Amino acid sequence: MRLNNLGIVRTNIEFPDPEDVARLSQFGVATIHEAMGRVGLMRPYIRPAYTGAKLCGPAVTVLLQPGDNWMFHVAAEQVREGSVVIAGCTTESEDGFFGELLATSLAARGCTGLVIDGGVRDVADLERMDFPVFSRAINAKGTVKATLGSVNVPVVVANALVNPGDVVVADVDGVVVVPRELVGAVADTSRQREDNEEAKRQKFRAGVLGLDLYGMREPLAAAGLEYVED
Amino acid sequence: MRLNNLGIVRTNIEFPDPEDVARLSQFGVATIHEAMGRVGLMRPYIRPAYTGAKLCGPAVTVLLQPGDNWMFHVAAEQVREGSVVIAGCTTESEDGFFGELLATSLAARGCTGLVIDGGVRDVADLERMDFPVFSRAINAKGTVKATLGSVNVPVVVANALVNPGDVVVADVDGVVVVPRELVGAVADTSRQREDNEEAKRQKFRAGVLGLDLYGMREPLAAAGLEYVED
Amino acid sequence: MRLNNLGIVRTNIEFPDPEDVARLSQFGVATIHEAMGRVGLMRPYIRPAYTGAKLCGPAVTVLLQPGDNWMFHVAAEQVREGSVVIAGCTTESEDGFFGELLATSLAARGCTGLVIDGGVRDVADLERMDFPVFSRAINAKGTVKATLGSVNVPVVVANALVNPGDVVVADVDGVVVVPRELVGAVADTSRQREDNEEAKRQKFRAGVLGLDLYGMREPLAAAGLEYVED
Amino acid sequence: MRLNNLGIVRTNIEFPDPEDVARLSQFGVATIHEAMGRVGLMRPYIRPAYTGAKLCGPAVTVLLQPGDNWMFHVAAEQVREGSVVIAGCTTESEDGFFGELLATSLAARGCTGLVIDGGVRDVADLERMDFPVFSRAINAKGTVKATLGSVNVPVVVANALVNPGDVVVADVDGVVVVPRELVGAVADTSRQREDNEEAKRQKFRAGVLGLDLYGMREPLAAAGLEYVED
Amino acid sequence: MRLNNLGIVRTNIEFPDPEDVARLSQFGVATIHEAMGRVGLMRPYIRPAYTGAKLCGPAVTVLLQPGDNWMFHVAAEQVREGSVVIAGCTTESEDGFFGELLATSLAARGCTGLVIDGGVRDVADLERMDFPVFSRAINAKGTVKATLGSVNVPVVVANALVNPGDVVVADVDGVVVVPRELVGAVADTSRQREDNEEAKRQKFRAGVLGLDLYGMREPLAAAGLEYVED
Amino acid sequence: MRLNNLGIVRTNIEFPDPEDVARLSQFGVATIHEAMGRVGLMRPYIRPAYTGAKLCGPAVTVLLQPGDNWMFHVAAEQVREGSVVIAGCTTESEDGFFGELLATSLAARGCTGLVIDGGVRDVADLERMDFPVFSRAINAKGTVKATLGSVNVPVVVANALVNPGDVVVADVDGVVVVPRELVGAVADTSRQREDNEEAKRQKFRAGVLGLDLYGMREPLAAAGLEYVED
């Protein structure tokens, strides 16, 4: 009996409908997270490696051993057009697992970005290449290629569970994971939410108060809010 | 289509064989983690709330909303003799979700400890009651009971995935999660590992060097290690 | 016009009724914090310097400059029997501002403990003397005596405002500040809260569920909680 | 007797002279902080949400409960032309309390920025709107509207006390609080300081050493500084 | 016998060959760190104070006391054309040791940047002046000039040992220290490494996999990597 | 030309006079640190792995690669009676590099404790064995034995430089490094300091104020300290 999920490459993962992914890519992380009922968010310590980085795509997952980036080369063979690589680590590590050469290899195979619960380097090159990366650290320290992790197994990244084929969306507000089978539904709900927000935005711009727009005056009074003139 | 896993209580989860759990409880976290091939460990920021706390049992899982401990009361009905409660949170929170009254309630229902990716309070009482708790913070700040989480859904706690019925082991070295179907096998492997270590321990005590015991001199030399007399 | 509150010693501060302080000292930090409506808590990074430290008393406040402990000597003249010293710093500093000699001096003048938003040292001696200290760090690094702070001005300590004469209570759960004029009222409310909790505790011990004790089943159902048998 | 300051809206706070605020707005945070004698600075973990954010205005204060942004809507009615919103929280929280819709509402009512001891989201939108925000975190995770805080009570934000009507200045160097009654005096002192610095700047540019400009050679020698040629 | 290295200015330090420094300055931190065999890197908490900051030059070292920047004025006399100032502190401090006036003075004497294991301020001015600074914090809080440190003694900065005359290179990826006597050799090795990488980059761009380029398929299989089709 | 100090074991290091070490071992870290003029202290994030841990001895140094503990076995051959092992790492790592088996081996060879800028495990066993350990983390996660570090080269540990043969002293207040050639002199100065403090301690116990004992009233007044009666 296998006691762990190390040393495995799943080659045949299912990806969501590309049109659903395209529709989802129109929305920001905060909107999508709300649309899902506020689940699926990675911890906020994952930050863009450079200003303006954004990505949205189905996940090829990588499970790394600390200080070892061997599995990225295995993953490069598994990426497809439009996919993103989502890398977790079996323990906390801020080493620089990923840099410009790997980005060149992944980009050449169609991959459009990386989220990693570890460190990255060559950040000026990544920005020049326009290869978006989200990480827990920036660190010039390199890694070895010595121990097996896995590709396309479920990984936990910054406390969020990512299955291969789930869609990951990342922007300045953070990183959110949308389960593969929900991508279309979440895109729909995000659209409704944005439409609904646009109506509110117009009202707010005109100076209407949320107190009135949302009918909050009564519940606030019921909760005991007291206006004091001094 | 359900967009998230909030507002659910699974009442019928499967637990592992109690004898396997008992066998597993003889081993420390470091041994078990090694026996599993070095996966399943929570991030090391989860620490015992008091010195000497230890636990081992099948998980009743709780998914909390930040600053809201309502679900612990729902979980109290689901715990069974010997189980432990493992609580994740949909976002980072260090509020004091759990204290002595809840511990009294859980203990009365057979629960033997708590691991929580959040804060706890009444720590002196918890120690007096001998109710082991592992948490990310100690914090007197209380919580509300206003929003639904879930009980017995998969939760991510300090970056580790915990399914209900998985066995969680915690001691001063950290917290490790053993998948339900692997408990017996991991107990076996842990036993072999400990037996194997006892032999080495005797040798080390007698002054034998790891260099000789493990035959490291040759690979070290091959890697280029140089002894310098100055 | 004075542009800041540095270089001042207020010699004539008002202290609360000692009987009220004595009554308050029976309760833990979590209870008092609840009794006040959940305000007045210091940030949880302030921790006891040794296991078992506890204190409760009216505050003599000290405003320190980073890396400078001169004002503790000024404060030593201002402490009274049963008071505690509460020290903030004009910026973040983890230097060891306080050690055994200062504790000896303060204890000889009647002071019964210290809370400091900085570092302390001689921790083994402090434990031996039974002089309770709560701090943000333990650090052997000493400080100078060169720049003026103040004594008995309002200070902000770990994000809580402390006025001289306010009562500060600290235990393993954290540190809470009770405004001077509320000490009696908070002691009363704490007593009611504890009495109320004892009744609940008995019920929980007997296995009654919070779901029933608090009448939660209906609001949980109304919020949409769903029990699933699989 | 009121045990805390929750559930209050003060509607009639005093603001400083707008000309004094305008004069103060010409100076950076470091200069103002020096002019005040080095007090009033928030802890440096408060950072601009986007590059180039700057603000200066009288404070409308908000006291939040963790994970609850209800009070921002109450505050929106209290803001005035040129004011800024300064939000503290009763405990540490990194949730995303604030985003683009609230910014739209506040901006429509005349508010010119936000400082919050919590998280914010929709950061790309905030930058596009040029609505400056300073926060302890960026986090897509939303909040509820369920528990009362207060508006225009004194709040502690990142360890600095802010009274409503105090002027808050924020830029890349940090955030400083100027008490309402000192705004004019601090603007004067800041001006003197800048004039004084300009003279020094010219000397430094010409290569004059601080050792000579400030007459430091003698005190350094007196303190024992030793030049060693090897 | 001198018990420490405080109060010393070494005036006669040796600098590396300027041509070697110029050659080294063509390479990024990650490349140089690899070329040295992965030593000499500062801890990754040292970050550029503004986007795009970069520096490379021989070190004039400064040992600071916490909250005291006196030694920078002593160092200003010791800097030479093209040198950089590298400042360590005898304990952890995030105070703002350095700002625009000091930068003006150092720049006028030929210094081309600063790395400091402490805080800095006037960051907008530093960016405007194009004076690159790498620091552990940005903090408006100023310092005093009261206690002796040293200039041109060995300092430990963010866990890296820096001797005066060593060349320090800093960019977005971090900060690396090259011992004075190795500058030429490290520049050579960096050049070889970059040339070697360019060849690989072409292959990766053409879609060749690292698995094939590096001959990894066999060792991965030997380590037990398993491809699973599901 | 060697570009780094990896792959080296120095076998012939000089140790200080054991009588000097014995004299030094009578003093705490804070006293020794003061006696040296406040240098040589490690960063305060290094903490005892269990309550009451203390050590003092000449250093056998180990330079580790992240996640790799091979060099401890090499070091085991180099330790001598009464020495301590001081381990730095070429980058930040919180892995569990060290546990009970290695402690057994080191103890059998005469080593009396460990300071490590990394993680350790088997902490309950280490306490039972009374083998004192000071570390930056407790972490069950194990390491590999694959890459060369060094033994008895200079290492930087938590920002302090340690040469082999330097004496390292650690207790609850922190960790201090005494250069080999200064051990006797520092023991002497520590003794004078303690004698001097005992006289002060008696005075403080009798209620004498530091204001009078140190003659501080005049300089405080000169600095502008103002006593206010209100």
Side-chain angles (χ1 to χ4, degrees), chain F residues 10-50:
Chain F
R10 287 183 55 229
T11 57
N12 206 4
I13 64 173
E14 212 170 325
F15 266 24
D17 180 338
E19 286 199 12
D20 287 344
V21 179
R23 282 195 304 130
L24 190 71
S25 72
Q26 299 172 283
F27 306 104
V29 168
T31 296
I32 293 169
H33 177 242
E34 289 292 336
M36 290 176 70
R38 300 190 170 177
V39 297
L41 205 63
M42 290 188 188
R43 293 299 190 229
Y45 64 76
I46 304 287
R47 299 296 302 149
Y50 56 86

Side-chain angles (χ1 to χ4, degrees), chain A residues 30 34 38 41 47 172-173 201 204-205 207 209-211 214 216-217 220 223 225-230, chain D residues 2 7-12 73-74 77 100 104-105 108-109 121-123 138 140-143 145 148:
Chain A
E34 288 292 335
R38 301 190 171 177
L41 205 65
R47 298 296 303 149
V172 63
D173 287 344
R201 189 174 293 118
F204 280 134
R205 268 197 200 126
L209 288 168
L211 293 176
Y214 298 119
M216 286 170 172
R217 292 191 193 271
L220 282 166
L225 188 67
E226 201 178 330
Y227 286 79
V228 181
E229 269 207 39
D230 273 5
Chain D
R2 201 179 246 290
I8 299 168
V9 186
R10 287 183 57 229
T11 57
N12 205 5
H73 289 285
V74 177
E77 195 173 31
E100 173 261 346
T104 302
S105 177
R109 311 286 297 192
R121 57 184 189 175
D122 300 336
V123 167
I138 293 173
K141 177 82 191 184
T143 50
K145 299 179 201 332
L148 290 188

Side-chain angles (χ1 to χ4, degrees), chain E residues 104-123:
Chain E
T104 303
S105 177
L106 289 181
R109 310 286 296 192
C111 171
T112 60
L114 171 74
V115 177
I116 178 171
D117 200 351
V120 299
R121 58 185 190 176
D122 302 335
V123 168

